[in-house]
Amino acid sequence: MAPILELKNFHYYYGNIEAVKGIDIRVEPGEMVTLIGANGAGKTTTMQSISGLTPASGVRGEIWFDGKRIDKKKGNKITAMGLCHVLEGRHVFSQLSVEENLKMGAYLRKDNAGIRESFAKVYELFPRLLERKTQMAGTLSGGEQQMLAIGRAMMGKPKMILLDEPSLGLAPIVVHAIFEAIVEINRQGTTILFVEQNSKIALATAHRGYVMQTGKIVLADTCENLESNEEVKKAYLGMK
Ligand code: ATP
């Protein structure tokens, strides 16, 4: 099958500093894939380069999405192609209501019936957002803001969602709920690539994983195999 996303010998340079050192990543349509690794490994740089948020001047190598080369494209063009990035820190519009935030996610769409359907899907997945649809986003809890950020991405009906650190700063029970929702979004057909500090939950949830270390991919395998890999256990799962 042709991959929906492919990075070929991808490097990223901040000036003279090579933050990502020639990596290959391949994600098939329908897959849920995680990128794990220690702080500073280059995960955020990689994700932001895929979605066109880093200056293209730092990119070497190729990034392909849905059959087209995207490494020189601007972020808004990439979003319009069907790739939506949910950023770390969530970035909801705090002065707008939950419903208005969701509406913003559908700004490129004109199919009103389809938009109504997406609203229904988001509210079914996150009943908490329905209960709070008129509430200002800035007054939501951290977990609810994360739900809203994911819901807003769904409103664009993307082919693929990139997620940065979905568990960041959230209580374990909320993390569990968020990951259940992500799995469901994937089950309904959206391809997912996510970065996660909590390697345990990442490997328990995704199909495949890439382990990044100082700018390189050091391991790429099914999550099942990564979970039983001695190096991964020691370095990322806190097991001796
Ligand atoms: P974290 O989980 O801590 O965010 P990460 O794996 O996402 O880590 P990156 O944030 O991609 O790693 O950083 C990779 C390397 O690039 C680091 O050494 C970092 O210091 C460097 N870096 C990141 N952003 C910049 C920047 N704007 N200018 C210069 N160097 C940068």
Side-chain angles (χ1 to χ4, degrees), residues 12-15 17-20 36-48 88 165 195 197 212 215:
Y12 196 84
Y13 290 86
Y14 292 105
I17 301 166
E18 190 181 20
V20 181
I36 63 171
N39 286 337
K43 307 179 299 294
T44 304
T45 303
T46 300
M47 296 287 269
Q48 295 196 339
E88 193 180 317
E165 304 280 0
V195 164
Q197 281 290 327
M212 225 173 152

Side-chain angles (χ1 to χ4, degrees), residues 38-60:
N39 286 337
K43 307 179 299 294
T44 304
T45 303
T46 300
M47 296 287 269
Q48 295 196 339
S49 300
I50 296 171
S51 59
L53 297 176
T54 50
S57 57
V59 174
R60 301 286 179 280

Side-chain angles (χ1 to χ4, degrees), residues 113-194:
I115 293 172
R116 275 196 300 277
E117 222 170 83
S118 294
F119 263 113
K121 261 195 186 163
V122 171
Y123 287 144
E124 192 186 347
L125 202 59
F126 299 114
R128 192 76 77 88
L129 295 182
L130 177 61
E131 285 163 23
R132 286 154 205 271
K133 67 178 185 181
T134 57
Q135 192 172 321
M136 289 292 126
T139 65
L140 296 173
S141 73
E144 289 160 357
Q145 289 192 22
Q146 181 64 283
M147 292 174 193
L148 181 55
I150 296 171
R152 191 177 58 191
M154 288 171 68
M155 291 301 297
K157 226 181 168 192
K159 296 185 176 100
M160 179 164 187
I161 295 181
L162 303 184
L163 283 164
D164 270 351
E165 304 280 0
S167 83
L168 197 73
L170 304 180
I173 186 160
V174 183
V175 171
H176 188 74
I178 298 275
F179 270 89
E180 268 188 353
I182 298 171
V183 167
E184 181 56 24
I185 294 167
N186 174 249
R187 208 189 55 77
Q188 291 177 10
T190 310
T191 309
I192 292 179
L193 175 66
F194 69 102

